[in-house]
Amino acid sequence: MARRKKIYEGKAKILYEGPEPGTIVQYFKDDATAFNAEKMEVIDGKGVLNNLLSEYFMNGLNTIGVPTHFIRRLNMREQLVKNCEIIPLEVIVRNFAAGTLSKRLGIEEGTQLPRPIVEYCYKDDALGDPLVSEEHIAAFGWASQQDMDDVLSLALRVNDFMSGVMLAVGIRLVDFKIEIGRIFDGDFQRLVIADEISPDSCRLWDIETGRKLDKDVFRRDLGNLTDAYAEVATRLGVMPKNSPQVTKPTLIN
Ligand code: CDP
């Protein structure tokens, strides 16, 4: 069997060369990291859940006409995606104050924001992904003004879609991060939602109880991360209620 070519290994995913030109296989690892990889752990089953959840959100976005890099899921840990050039920005959309926004501006976590706020961070682990303004983005040529108009409109569409999907299952979408890629088609460039959308990159709170169902469970040591992600997957119908444990294979005697 031919060995496939690894293109990149990140904190939570590995990218392999895809079977056709212009495609990539995205493999979801079980590794969890936080605080710029200062805190690390392997969490059984996390990769499987994020693969299924990201498939669900990306499929939904494609269906309503928000373009994404997603082509199809290949197996429990891998999905086939379109190769794209990632704009070096983390695009964060916030509906309620939490995390760094709360720290930076002294706003109590959970405070509803007057309108969705979109922030940009420059993707650079060594610098700790610093917050940047559109001035920086234009001056350093990370994206054009036209790109940024499209990025903003994509981010707000993803926010509306994700907020609605979550609300329908009793979950509040507090904030999330997306990454945007460029796909070239001859002389034209198209922007698509890339990377992943999963509880690793969203803040999800149960509407009734406020219970956290996202990576803060790991960041803040609030319990079992797989249980929280499985709860989201179960509510969305992505994981059948009585499915066998996604974590470890069961031994049959
Ligand atoms: O998560 P943290 O408190 O470090 O930063 P934040 O700016 O409050 O994060 C806002 C949202 O973006 C949260 O849902 C994070 O999970 C997500 N995020 C991410 O997925 N990756 C990053 N490198 C930074 C933020």
Side-chain angles (χ1 to χ4, degrees), residues 34-54:
F35 313 117
N36 211 2
E38 270 171 44
K39 181 175 164 116
M40 275 170 148
E41 217 175 289
V42 174
I43 297 180
D44 272 350
K46 182 179 84 89
V48 171
L49 286 160
N50 280 352
N51 185 25
L52 294 172
L53 284 163
S54 201

Side-chain angles (χ1 to χ4, degrees), residues 179-232:
E179 295 185 19
I180 311 281
R182 299 187 166 98
I183 291 183
F184 298 98
D185 187 1
D187 287 345
F188 294 95
Q189 167 204 278
R190 225 158 47 96
L191 296 187
V192 300
I193 312 298
D195 189 48
E196 71 178 282
I197 304 180
S198 75
D200 265 7
S201 50
C202 300
R203 280 201 170 89
L204 305 169
W205 296 358
D206 179 72
I207 288 181
E208 292 286 313
T209 62
R211 185 180 151 216
K212 292 180 175 35
L213 299 169
D214 56 56
K215 209 164 98 178
D216 274 347
V217 171
F218 168 72
R219 290 192 193 96
R220 304 180 186 187
D221 295 317
L222 300 176
N224 184 305
L225 190 72
T226 320
D227 286 352
Y229 288 19
E231 169 80 30
V232 177

Side-chain angles (χ1 to χ4, degrees), residues 90 92 94 98-101 103-104 119 129 175-177 200-203 215-216 219:
E90 309 217 312
I92 293 173
R94 302 176 183 275
T100 56
L101 178 88
K103 275 201 206 99
R104 217 183 308 127
E119 292 175 350
D129 301 332
D175 58 29
F176 65 94
K177 184 250 343 185
D200 265 7
S201 50
C202 300
R203 280 201 170 89
K215 209 164 98 178
D216 274 347
R219 290 192 193 96

Side-chain angles (χ1 to χ4, degrees), residues 151-194:
V151 165
L152 179 65
S153 122
L154 284 172
L156 293 174
R157 289 191 72 192
V158 173
N159 186 41
D160 283 346
F161 170 78
M162 291 291 295
S163 296
V165 166
M166 290 302 174
L167 180 65
V169 294
I171 294 173
R172 167 167 299 152
L173 178 66
V174 173
D175 58 29
F176 65 94
K177 184 250 343 185
I178 48 171
E179 295 185 19
I180 311 281
R182 299 187 166 98
I183 291 183
F184 298 98
D185 187 1
D187 287 345
F188 294 95
Q189 167 204 278
R190 225 158 47 96
L191 296 187
V192 300
I193 312 298

